[in-house]
Amino acid sequence: MARVPLPSVPTRLAEIEVLDASRRGALEAVLVPQPAEGTELEPVAGVRPSAKAGEVKLVPGDAPVRWLVGIGEGRAANYRAAGAALARAVDSYLEHDPVGAVQVALSEDVTTESAAELAMGVLLGGYRYKVTGEEPKPRLKTLRLIPRADVPAFAEAVDRAKELAAAAALARDLANTPSNVKDPAWLAGTAERLTSGLSGLTATIRDERWLADQGFGGVLAVGGGSASPPRLIELDYRPRGATRHLLYVGKGITFDTGGLSIKPAEGMHLMRTDMAGGAAVIAAVRAIAALGLKVRVTALVPAAENHVSGSAYRPGDIVRHYGGKTTEVGNTDAEGRMVLADALVYGIKRFKPDAVVDVATLTGAMKVALGLRTGGLFASDDDLAARVVAAGEAAGEAWWRMPLLEAHEEAVKGDLGDVKQAPGGPGGITAALFLREFTAGMPWAHLDIAGPARADRTYADVVPGGTGFAARTLVELAAAYA
């Protein structure tokens, strides 16, 4: 079979430079804040600016100023939206008039944090992923930011934002890669390649024979119907001087047909992104190591393909997980919790972390409950839950804490096995309660990203396809523990 001409992974993002003075010959963008009440914005070259965050006006003619970019009230989200809109406006402009760089002079009101958010918006708003044999369209290559003072502080803030953006973009790359390329072995090999050479970070890939020897019954059951065998991706970041240890576990289902409980054809093509939780975990650990954060982080991604064949697992099966607990299978399309259960027990027993966070596109119920822009947060520990929410706020990702309702605990208990995989009831809650059975009483958080992990249209710094949601939150969470 001919090789698919994939884009590079990771995607090459624009360069962001922080300089002490403007450079001659570069086109300029001007940030337009909300004017004081009772005042109007003055036209620029006959164009009346808009202060609405993320609205860009093109200035015609030969003057250096070419774009007027609204930043609204100047909140973090406003700067991200402005940066994203600027990147897309420049890319559109480049299709008929190539330029080398764009620069933005920052007023005294722009803080280092605001500059970092602007950079984040530019990097992620200009993200593209397309599998094509044609020459790629021109893109913004370099954005120059010119602050009024303290260039090193601005550069430091922007450099950190670049690592966070790179994490989100990498998670997007992994989620967007088509599944005729992205089988478990590809995902494992790519994770190993991407994490090599980073100080303190090691990668170990476990194959199907190792999984069988160790008793990873959930992973083997889910992956049993595919010609592409499962893998366990194990990343361990161990910086010197770290006193806290986090375990991240990400669902890595590289394609999900639903198995014998097969999904409807409509929408099944989107299941290439069903490993978005695993992608977020891989990308986050890479960024944590690149930033040199002083916290140990172990990441586990159980990777499998949920297919239909004579060797696929069945509704009614009893599956024995790593550690011995058994599950009654009710629906083979509830496969994510099956692979996460194995990895949670293994990670807790082997690595003995201080806290555990799992990330998964787990339930359609969370899309119904919270829509497509907010992640569901379940937690057994109030402090960990608060840390996740705060990390999300710092990252620009919204989380809403959901209840682990005692009224549904008995529903998860099994009749023929220890637990029921798909007991009915409120799907997001019972899935979280199922996973809690495998956490050994550890401080644990479950992040259900079924809604915000993918997008079908452009908004803010998001473009259609995988969004990279949760990667930045995981980095900020680690930073809080460091």
Side-chain angles (χ1 to χ4, degrees):
M1 185 175 68
R3 290 183 61 82
V4 177
L6 287 176
S8 62
V9 175
T11 289
R12 185 169 183 175
L13 301 176
E15 288 292 328
I16 310 274
E17 300 176 347
V18 179
L19 306 176
D20 58 1
S22 300
R23 296 294 185 264
R24 188 176 299 173
L27 294 182
E28 299 175 15
V30 173
L31 303 181
V32 182
Q34 191 74 41
E37 188 174 352
T39 63
E40 291 188 1
L41 296 169
E42 293 294 327
V44 176
V47 176
R48 185 170 296 280
S50 170
K52 182 179 178 181
E55 188 163 329
V56 179
K57 295 290 186 74
L58 180 66
V59 179
D62 298 325
V65 174
R66 194 55 45 90
W67 298 276
L68 308 175
V69 187
I71 56 172
E73 298 174 352
R75 296 190 297 268
N78 298 151
Y79 275 98
R80 283 197 304 275
L86 174 60
R88 291 192 278 263
V90 171
D91 286 353
S92 178
Y93 181 88
L94 292 178
E95 292 185 19
H96 62 84
D97 187 4
V99 295
V102 174
Q103 58 192 19
V104 180
L106 304 177
S107 69
E108 293 178 352
D109 296 333
V110 179
T111 64
T112 56
E113 292 81 4
S114 298
E117 296 293 349
L118 181 71
M120 182 81 68
V122 168
L123 294 167
L124 293 181
Y127 172 90
R128 295 181 190 172
Y129 186 97
K130 187 172 184 179
V131 181
T132 176
E134 300 176 359
E135 284 296 315
K137 293 181 179 180
R139 301 176 58 186
L140 171 64
K141 292 183 178 179
T142 304
L143 177 72
R144 296 169 180 158
L145 302 180
I146 300 99
R148 292 288 182 90
D150 206 354
V151 171
F154 276 84
E156 182 180 356
V158 167
D159 284 345
R160 188 177 187 279
K162 286 158 69 172
E163 289 294 347
L164 288 165
L170 173 57
R172 292 178 181 184
D173 290 340
L174 296 175
N176 287 332
T177 299
S179 295
N180 57 324
V181 172
K182 181 181 57 188
D183 60 13
W186 181 92
L187 183 62
T190 301
E192 189 172 28
R193 171 178 63 83
L194 292 171
T195 54
S196 66
L198 288 168
S199 178
L201 181 58
T202 58
T204 305
I205 307 303
R206 313 292 191 178
D207 64 13
E208 70 273 24
R209 287 181 289 277
W210 185 91
L211 293 168
D213 289 343
Q214 297 296 317
F216 278 65
V219 176
L220 292 168
V222 172
S226 174
S228 301
R231 295 286 185 270
L232 177 68
I233 302 165
E234 189 175 307
L235 307 176
D236 197 14
Y237 172 60
R238 305 181 70 162
R240 291 182 180 179
T243 59
R244 305 300 297 274
H245 184 187
L246 298 176
L247 173 65
Y248 289 165
V249 180
K251 174 184 170 183
I253 302 300
T254 57
F255 193 77
D256 182 20
T257 66
L260 295 180
S261 306
I262 196 164
K263 294 178 179 291
E266 183 182 359
M268 192 190 289
H269 63 287
L270 297 173
M271 290 300 101
R272 66 180 178 275
T273 68
D274 207 26
M275 37 58 68
V281 164
I282 292 167
V285 173
R286 184 174 185 260
I288 289 164
L291 290 167
L293 300 183
K294 297 299 181 184
V295 57
R296 184 180 174 190
V297 181
T298 301
L300 300 174
V301 179
E305 198 170 63
N306 190 22
H307 248 303
V308 181
S309 76
S311 58
Y313 80 129
R314 296 157 290 259
D317 284 359
I318 303 293
V319 171
R320 186 179 299 277
H321 294 278
Y322 180 90
K325 186 167 287 189
T326 57
T327 288
E328 298 176 23
V329 177
N331 184 334
T332 63
D333 194 23
E335 83 299 329
R337 66 200 72 181
M338 298 292 291
V339 302
L340 291 174
D342 283 347
L344 285 167
V345 177
Y346 169 73
I348 291 168
K349 283 190 172 183
R350 176 170 181 183
F351 298 105
K352 298 178 175 57
D354 296 306
V356 183
V357 180
D358 74 73
V359 191
T361 49
L362 206 65
T363 66
M366 292 310 300
K367 294 169 68 174
V368 175
L370 298 178
L372 303 181
R373 301 191 187 183
T374 303
L377 162 64
F378 298 84
S380 64
D381 181 86
D382 290 341
D383 177 66
L384 178 57
R387 286 174 180 264
V388 171
V389 171
E393 289 176 353
E397 296 178 332
W399 300 95
W400 187 265
R401 189 173 182 184
M402 302 292 291
L404 290 164
L405 295 174
E406 294 182 7
H408 298 285
E409 288 180 356
E410 283 302 312
V412 179
K413 303 300 181 183
D415 298 318
L416 300 177
D418 294 318
V419 289
K420 289 181 179 177
Q421 170 222 35
I429 293 172
T430 54
L433 290 169
F434 174 89
L435 291 174
R436 191 179 66 174
E437 294 289 319
F438 297 88
T439 59
M442 290 287 300
W444 158 77
H446 161 57
L447 309 183
D448 192 332
I449 60 171
R454 47 189 168 255
D456 59 4
R457 64 186 183 88
T458 297
Y459 63 90
D461 57 4
V462 171
V463 297
T467 65
F469 193 89
R472 286 176 288 174
T473 293
L474 294 176
V475 178
E476 294 287 9
L477 179 63
Y481 275 94

